Amino acid sequence: MNRSGQISLPTLKIGRFVYNTHRRLMDMICPHCKNGCKKYGYFGGGNRCQRYRCNSCAKTFSDIPYRSLGRLKTPLKKATRIVNLLVEGVGVRATARLTKTHPNTIQAVLEVAGSKSAFLLDKMVREVNFPFVQVDEMFCFVGCKEKNNVTGDPERGRQSIFLGVDADSKFIINWMIGKRTSSTIEKYMQDLKLRVARPFQLSTDGYELFEDEVKWAFYGEAAYGQVSKKFIHPRAKDSNTAEGRYEPSRVKTIYKRQVFGPVRFDKISTSYIDQTHLNLRLFNRRLTRLTLGFSKKLEHLKNSVALSIAHYNFCRVHKSLQGETPAMAARLTDHVWSIAELLTESGQIGSEKWICPLLERTVSPPMKNSSKRYNTAMNAPNFHEPEFVTTIDHDSHEHPQPQLA
C-alpha cells in the first residue's frame, strides 16, 4: 500500500513486453539496449505487423510472432515436405527441383531441422537403460578425399561417423563426427557415458584404439567384449586387387574376445550397428558411395546426420519391432512421430548458429599422461578367459559352432 492508500501492484515482464496488473501494455522492451520503445508504424500487406523504435538507441524492430522454424519464413507444410524428401535419400538439388524451391532454401531448412534434431537427441537421451550397446565408426569425407587435402584442414578430407546402437531397440544412442583418432574416440566414450545407464554390455570391433578408451570410460561399470572378423574375397586371394575391388567380401573367421567384465558371448556382436550403417547410407544422399552427393562443409554433414538419426529414431517404423519405432521400443515415446512434430517438438530452437552438442557439452576427461587415467585401466587384473573362434564354411549349410582358440 502506498502513501495515498492505494495498493501498489507489481510489474510483470513477459517476453519483450512489460505489463502492469492495473494498467494495459506499458512499453515494448528493446532487444538491444533493454530500454523502452514506442510504436513506429506498420509493415506488411494483409496481416500488418507493428513496428517499434527504441527511445535510447533509435533502433527499429518488429514484434514478429512465433515461428516454428525460427528465422525461416518457409511454411511448415512445405518444410515438412522438404524434410521428407531429404530423409528418403533425395539430394538437395533434386529436392529443389521437386518442390520448386531454391537450393539455398533447402539448405536453410536442413540447417534448422538438423539443429532441432541435435537438440532433441541431446535433451531426451540421458541415462537411458540400454542393456547391450554396439559401437562402430563409418567412413565418409568432406570436400575431398584425404589424399587431396593438401592444406591439412581438419574439417576436410576423411571423416568418421561414430555411432552407438542398442541391440534390442535398434535405437541410435549418440553420434559424433571427427577424425579417426584417439581424441575423438575419447570424447565419444565420455559422451556415451552420459547417455547410457550402467551397468550394460558394450561391443566393438577389433580396432586397437577402442580398448584403451573403453577401459578409461567404463572399467568397473560395464562389461566389454570385442569381435574381429577376417574377410576373404570369393574370387581373388587379395581383395585389394583390381579384379575384386568392388565386389563384396565374405566373412571367413570371427573372433570374440572378453576384455573385462562378465560378458555374454552370444551378445558380443556388431551386426546391428553394421545394418544401421547401411540404413544411413541408403537414406542419406551425402553418405552414398561413389556419387557427387558428398558434403562440401563439415557443418552441413553434421546437420544432415542429426536429422537422419532423429528421423530414424522417432519417425521410421522398424520392421523387426512389430510396428514400433526405436524410440517407442526404448520407452522414450508412446507413438510414431510425424515430421511436423519432429520440427516443432524442440521449441524455438534453430534461429541461432548451432554448435554440435556432442563436441562442446561433454565433460572434459583428464589428460592422457595423467596418472588418474590409468589407475584403474592399466593396473587392473588381467582376465584370462578363453577366446571363442567361429569358422564359417560357405560350402556347408550347417550352423557354425564356436570353438576354443
Side-chain angles (χ1 to χ4, degrees):
M1 183 178 296
N2 54 20
R3 295 182 179 179
S4 60
Q6 297 179 355
I7 299 176
S8 59
L9 300 177
T11 301
L12 302 178
K13 182 178 179 181
I14 304 177
R16 291 184 299 177
F17 293 96
V18 176
Y19 285 89
N20 193 284
T21 51
H22 66 279
R23 293 181 59 182
R24 290 289 185 120
L25 177 65
M26 293 176 57
D27 264 330
M28 169 71 79
I29 300 299
C30 176
H32 305 283
C33 62
K34 309 301 180 184
N35 292 320
C37 304
K38 62 180 180 181
K39 294 183 178 180
Y40 195 69
Y42 297 89
F43 81 95
N47 298 326
R48 297 196 305 170
C49 186
Q50 181 70 55
R51 290 193 61 81
Y52 297 90
R53 182 178 181 181
C54 180
N55 297 328
S56 300
C57 63
K59 292 184 178 180
T60 60
F61 59 94
S62 58
D63 180 31
I64 300 176
Y66 166 74
R67 291 198 296 254
S68 59
L69 297 180
R71 58 181 176 83
L72 297 183
K73 297 181 180 180
T74 306
L76 182 61
K77 184 177 181 180
K78 188 172 185 178
T80 301
R81 186 187 177 192
I82 291 173
V83 172
N84 192 14
L85 292 173
L86 291 176
V87 296
E88 292 296 336
V90 183
V92 173
R93 295 189 179 276
T95 304
R97 292 190 294 267
L98 291 173
T99 59
K100 298 181 180 180
T101 311
H102 197 275
N104 292 346
T105 303
I106 305 298
Q107 196 67 45
V109 172
L110 176 61
E111 180 183 354
V112 173
S115 62
K116 285 175 170 289
S117 301
F119 179 82
L120 182 67
L121 294 170
D122 181 70
K123 179 180 66 174
M124 295 190 65
V125 187
R126 295 282 182 171
E127 294 290 336
V128 185
N129 184 24
F130 296 118
F132 302 102
V133 179
Q134 300 178 9
V135 172
D136 199 2
E137 82 280 354
M138 178 173 56
F139 164 80
C140 64
F141 66 96
V142 175
C144 62
K145 293 294 183 66
E146 187 63 31
K147 64 180 180 180
N148 298 325
N149 186 16
V150 294
T151 60
D153 189 355
E155 294 189 357
R156 290 174 59 86
R158 179 190 176 97
Q159 303 289 335
S160 295
I161 303 176
F162 293 87
L163 296 176
V165 174
D166 178 39
D168 294 338
S169 63
K170 314 303 183 295
F171 187 88
I172 301 178
I173 304 170
N174 67 333
W175 59 278
M176 181 173 291
I177 302 177
K179 296 293 184 179
R180 195 168 180 248
T181 58
S182 59
S183 60
T184 306
I185 299 177
E186 182 181 3
K187 294 178 182 179
Y188 176 80
M189 291 301 171
Q190 292 297 323
D191 183 77
L192 182 64
K193 195 172 184 178
L194 303 176
R195 314 291 177 186
V196 184
R198 273 85 68 192
F200 69 100
Q201 179 171 326
L202 179 64
S203 300
T204 65
D205 58 6
Y207 187 44
E208 60 272 8
L209 295 180
F210 274 127
E211 182 175 350
D212 185 31
E213 303 302 335
V214 172
K215 281 183 178 179
W216 158 237
F218 296 107
Y219 186 84
E221 298 181 352
Y224 175 45
Q226 284 186 345
V227 53
S228 301
K229 299 178 182 179
K230 182 179 179 181
F231 296 90
I232 186 173
H233 198 270
R235 294 185 180 179
K237 295 182 179 180
D238 187 6
S239 59
N240 294 323
T241 58
E243 178 184 358
R245 187 174 181 182
Y246 294 106
E247 296 184 12
S249 302
R250 294 183 179 181
V251 179
K252 179 64 177 179
T253 310
I254 300 176
Y255 298 91
K256 293 184 178 181
R257 183 171 72 94
Q258 178 187 18
V259 182
F260 60 82
V263 301
R264 287 180 52 182
F265 277 89
D266 59 331
K267 294 295 184 178
I268 300 178
S269 174
T270 57
S271 300
Y272 295 116
I273 186 69
D274 292 337
Q275 182 63 37
T276 305
H277 289 168
L278 178 62
N279 292 334
L280 286 181
R281 290 196 183 277
L282 179 64
F283 295 110
N284 193 322
R285 188 62 175 173
R286 298 172 185 267
L287 302 177
T288 307
R289 296 273 195 171
L290 304 176
T291 64
L292 297 177
F294 59 90
S295 297
K296 311 306 185 291
K297 292 184 180 180
L298 182 61
E299 183 180 2
H300 296 166
L301 178 62
K302 291 179 180 179
N303 291 327
S304 179
V305 171
L307 177 60
S308 298
I309 292 176
H311 181 268
Y312 173 85
N313 285 338
F314 294 95
C315 303
R316 191 183 299 277
V317 176
H318 203 282
K319 65 179 182 179
S320 66
L321 299 178
Q322 291 77 38
E324 293 184 345
T325 62
M328 296 173 63
R331 300 298 182 264
L332 294 178
T333 183
D334 57 353
H335 64 283
V336 180
W337 285 21
S338 63
I339 295 180
E341 186 177 1
L342 182 65
L343 293 177
T344 58
E345 179 65 25
S346 57
Q348 204 170 3
I349 303 297
S351 57
E352 300 84 5
K353 182 177 177 61
W354 170 57
I355 301 177
C356 180
L358 302 180
L359 292 177
E360 300 294 336
R361 300 182 186 176
T362 52
V363 181
S364 299
M367 299 296 292
K368 283 194 172 183
N369 56 3
S370 175
S371 59
K372 294 182 180 180
R373 177 180 174 84
Y374 293 99
N375 279 342
T376 57
M378 301 305 294
N379 299 328
N382 296 326
F383 290 92
H384 300 284
E385 295 292 336
E387 298 182 2
F388 280 78
V389 181
T390 302
T391 303
I392 300 177
D393 187 3
H394 296 281
D395 298 330
S396 176
H397 298 285
E398 297 181 357
H399 191 274
Q401 299 294 329
Q403 302 174 359
L404 289 180

